[in-house]
Amino acid sequence: MRITVLAGGTGGAKFLLGLRDHLRDAFPDGRGGTTAEVTVVGNTGDDIQLYGLQICPDLDTLMYTLGGGISAERGWGREHETFVVKEELAAYGMPSTWFGLGDRDTATHLVRTEMLRAGYPLSAVTEALCARWEPGVRLLPMTDDRVETHVVVDGERPGTTRAIHFQEWWIRHRAALPAREFVLVGGADAAPGPGVVEAITDADVVVLPPSNPVVSVGTILQVPGIRDAVRAARGPVVGVSPILGGAPVHGMADACLPAIGVATTAAAVARHYGARPSGGLLDGWLVHDGSGGVAGDAAAVAELDAGGITTRAVPLLMSDPAASAALAAATLALAATLAPGPL
Ligand code: FO1
């Protein structure tokens, strides 16, 4: 059973923890692991260069979360982290200390930057870092080429605009500056990373997890060749709504969707991804069923079904590992009912 997941940071990582737990039960290898193979195509649009270091937030969040090193409190960076270097940088008046550069995390960036300078591609670097963390999935950068998401916001003077790095928008401004446009700098010239296209086209199931549909999954789909690979996937493509009852559970997808003219609803995001029979990406879509005290979107099931996206309402709240595993199980269960192969 080969499953490929296009994932960003926190939301995607939580889903993958649940998928790994579910697969250990559903496809046990007799040694506490699983015979299933999970490949994660990770978003690198969040990447930023600071202090000469190449920092890959979503790859690191996925690696640390699945490798057991994530800060559970923050959802990013390392547990038992300290920020002494950051404090010292602030004491020197360095301008980018809005970015929470952790001391332990810095070792990851030093290894990555050293290997990149030696000529290793990001995919080889990521594989080397994962040798320590053993995430239990194959983690592939969406591209080995350098790309960065920048956000176009209003300029100082009325009628002008300026672009800032996604991380500055997200962290320093808490996504509060209205985003006029997201630009994947370098995206047009980027190629899918080694193994990415095959991991998508050859998978038994392709999953679009509840990562940010604009700056995470959306960014991955902007790498030339990846959207076509999803459309050509031999297995069914199933998405999980990141929007429950009109709001994201975490993250700030609601601050991103307006920039691409998509309403903050489970149905609008599904339509944005599109139905595979009519040129889109999705064969199946999961919406929240209203359990857990969070408004759901069962009302959207009929219209999405009619639009060619087989939709089910199930619990989408990943409130604990069991809930995440159940969501992963529901995702694979829906995939199992869908016709494999490109239409
Ligand atoms: N997110 C924050 O909200 N504040 C931070 O200071 C911060 C630092 C940071 C450092 C390393 C890293 O891998 C991730 C970090 N994040 C931080 C999360 C980062 O902004 C992610 O890109 C977002 O979570 C979106 O995926």
Side-chain angles (χ1 to χ4, degrees):
M1 170 57 121
R2 291 170 300 176
I3 302 161
T4 296
V5 183
L6 277 55
T10 318
K14 251 185 171 180
F15 178 85
L16 281 158
L17 279 177
L19 178 62
R20 194 176 60 185
D21 287 350
H22 169 65
L23 291 172
R24 284 173 178 166
D25 290 344
F27 300 91
D29 64 0
R31 297 189 309 277
T34 176
T35 57
E37 294 165 16
V38 177
T39 300
V40 181
V41 177
N43 171 40
T44 60
D46 282 13
D47 293 6
I48 185 170
Q49 287 192 352
L50 282 177
Y51 317 112
L53 298 175
Q54 181 70 29
I55 298 170
C56 302
D58 277 354
L59 294 181
D60 291 346
T61 297
L62 291 162
M63 181 174 73
Y64 290 155
T65 301
L66 291 162
I70 196 77
S71 158
E73 169 212 349
R74 288 190 302 272
W76 52 266
R78 288 289 312 283
E79 61 185 355
H80 313 313
E81 183 62 281
T82 53
F83 295 90
V84 174
V85 170
K86 178 175 178 283
E87 290 158 17
E88 290 298 307
L89 289 166
Y92 281 113
M94 291 297 276
S96 302
T97 48
W98 46 265
F99 188 83
L101 183 68
D103 300 323
R104 291 180 182 276
D105 194 31
T106 297
T108 300
H109 312 319
L110 288 169
V111 171
R112 176 184 295 119
T113 305
E114 181 90 340
M115 289 186 70
L116 289 171
R117 280 221 190 94
Y120 292 95
L122 183 59
S123 47
V125 174
T126 304
E127 190 173 358
L129 294 171
C130 285
R132 169 188 173 187
W133 290 102
E134 298 181 339
V137 302
R138 187 168 56 131
L139 178 56
L140 303 178
M142 68 186 200
T143 177
D144 276 344
D145 299 311
R146 184 173 171 208
V147 291
E148 288 185 2
T149 298
H150 289 194
V151 189
V152 176
V153 297
D154 293 337
E156 306 300 320
R157 293 192 315 281
T160 65
T161 59
R162 66 192 174 105
I164 57 177
H165 190 286
F166 168 77
Q167 292 298 338
E168 182 166 4
W169 180 72
W170 186 266
I171 298 172
R172 187 178 196 178
H173 300 291
R174 304 306 307 155
L177 301 178
R180 303 303 176 203
E181 185 184 356
F182 292 97
V183 180
L184 184 62
V185 179
D189 304 323
V196 166
V197 169
E198 300 80 1
I200 294 169
T201 55
D202 301 351
D204 295 300
V205 182
V206 176
V207 180
L208 305 187
S211 291
N212 189 308
V214 182
V215 294
S216 293
V217 176
T219 301
I220 298 170
L221 294 169
Q222 280 189 53
V223 175
I226 293 186
R227 173 180 292 276
D228 290 342
V230 176
R231 285 203 30 70
R234 58 175 283 278
V237 179
V238 179
V240 180
S241 179
I243 304 297
L244 283 62
V249 181
H250 50 80
M252 297 178 259
D254 50 336
C256 304
L257 287 161
I260 60 169
V262 174
T264 303
T265 69
V269 174
R271 282 195 295 269
H272 169 61
Y273 284 140
R276 189 134 68 132
S278 47
L281 304 172
L282 293 176
D283 298 303
W285 184 246
L286 291 179
V287 301
H288 187 51
D289 65 354
S291 60
V294 172
D297 304 286
V301 170
E303 68 175 280
L304 291 172
D305 267 342
I309 302 173
T310 304
T311 301
R312 282 189 184 158
V314 300
L316 292 196
L317 279 176
M318 297 187 279
S319 43
D320 57 37
S324 302
L327 174 55
T331 305
L332 296 187
L334 174 54
T337 70
L338 298 168
L343 290 145

